[in-house]
Amino acid sequence: MSGAVGLDHYLVLSLIIFTLGMFTVLTRRNAIGILMGVELILNSANINYLAFAYYGGARYDGQIFAIFVIMLAAAEAVIGLAVVLAIYQNFRTIDVGATENLSG
Amino acid sequence: MLQSVIFYALAAGTIASAAAVAFSRNIVYSTFALLGAFMGVVGIYILLAADFVAMVQLLVYVGGILVLTIFAVMLTQGIGDVTISNRAVGSVPALVTVAIAGAVMLYAIAHTRWHQAALHAAAPTTYGIGNAFLGDYVLPFEVASLVLLAALIGAIVISRHEARE
């Protein structure tokens, strides 16, 4: 790891964002908070894609995968938040521990 | 040299915002910290010579997902209970899990010899991406539009009020 910014720097940055997102997913009981953690994780994956595309010589493949990830993240956010709103209308809460009608 | 300074500034801002998302007890603060994280990631993308992906990130994440998240936060919380973003009980087990996963990945990053090619000069990428989308990637591109249509219809069906007869 030399002084200039290299591939390792981006990988470590992506790793830190991933761990923060994972911590968010694990500790939140608010469903919207969990979705925000998922967005952080997806962003860290995208940083990895673009870093490998830039430093690995594959110019467009990594960027196209990043665009697909962004597209799927948008679909996931739309469906996830719609489900959250539907749960809120039925339960008056979005605490993921409180919605346990189906637990045995 | 200048690139290093910009990278460290962007990385510090992004990590600080992401940490605010993870550790803030107020869900509204977390949502607005998410804005900083997304903007920092946009800067990182530009630094990686991915101008088109950076703009897509700006439009879709900041303009779409974040606004949607803010709407959801505002719609699901009353004015009085705005601070209820209760942390789960097991914060310590989560910290241990995350630390173990992070250590394993850090070990993998440090001990792998990644394939690295000679760097290209930064050039506009829209021409190549457009050609790739309508060439090699035309089938995933069309399937993606189907996925988005299904998500659109599904969101409407799920979130609308049930009509009572």
Side-chain angles (χ1 to χ4, degrees):
Chain A
M1 209 181 275
S2 61
V5 172
L7 178 60
D8 289 338
H9 291 72
Y10 288 99
L11 293 182
V12 171
L13 170 67
S14 158
L15 167 65
I16 293 172
I17 295 176
F18 176 82
T19 49
L20 286 172
M22 194 168 155
F23 183 80
T24 309
V25 171
L26 288 177
T27 55
R28 292 281 179 191
R29 296 181 65 187
N30 188 322
I32 297 176
I34 292 174
L35 281 176
M36 295 192 320
V38 173
E39 304 295 345
L40 281 183
I41 290 175
L42 290 170
N43 266 297
S44 75
N46 265 348
I47 291 177
N48 263 7
Y49 269 128
L50 292 181
F52 281 119
Y54 183 65
Y55 287 101
R59 297 196 64 181
Y60 297 124
D61 291 345
Q63 302 193 7
I64 282 171
F65 271 89
I67 291 173
F68 279 126
V69 169
I70 290 175
M71 185 275 295
L72 284 175
E76 169 261 335
V78 166
I79 296 295
L81 291 174
V83 169
V84 167
L85 286 182
I87 288 175
Y88 182 73
Q89 284 172 10
N90 286 327
F91 289 90
R92 289 290 136 192
T93 180
I94 50 172
D95 185 343
V96 292
T99 54
E100 53 188 7
N101 276 8
L102 283 181
S103 76
Chain B
M1 184 59 211
L2 181 63
Q3 197 195 6
S4 299
V5 174
I6 295 174
F7 172 79
Y8 285 118
L10 283 174
T14 311
I15 290 172
S17 299
V21 173
F23 296 112
S24 171
R25 303 183 71 88
N26 188 329
I27 190 73
V28 180
Y29 291 162
S30 291
T31 313
F32 283 103
L34 204 59
L35 171 67
F38 287 160
M39 295 300 279
V41 172
V42 169
I44 294 290
Y45 288 174
I46 294 176
L47 212 54
L48 284 169
D51 51 351
F52 182 70
V53 182
M55 286 308 115
V56 168
Q57 163 99 0
L58 193 65
L59 285 175
V60 174
Y61 267 102
V62 180
I65 294 178
L66 196 64
V67 172
L68 207 60
T69 310
I70 291 174
F71 264 113
V73 169
M74 298 297 175
L75 282 177
T76 52
Q77 301 237 338
I79 302 294
D81 54 353
V82 79
T83 52
I84 302 178
S85 72
N86 33 16
R87 298 274 282 278
V89 193
S91 182
V92 174
L95 210 57
V96 171
T97 311
V98 166
I100 291 174
V104 169
M105 284 186 283
L106 197 62
Y107 180 85
I109 290 174
H111 289 267
T112 310
R113 294 190 58 83
W114 305 106
H115 164 72
Q116 295 200 31
L119 293 184
H120 300 282
T125 56
T126 42
Y127 181 80
I129 287 178
N131 272 334
F133 264 139
L134 293 181
D136 290 342
Y137 292 94
V138 66
L139 182 62
F141 186 64
E142 296 299 330
V143 173
S145 62
L146 270 182
V147 168
L148 285 178
L149 180 66
L152 186 69
I153 297 173
I156 293 171
V157 170
I158 290 172
S159 64
R160 69 177 179 149
H161 287 277
E162 289 295 325
R164 306 190 188 283
E165 63 267 18

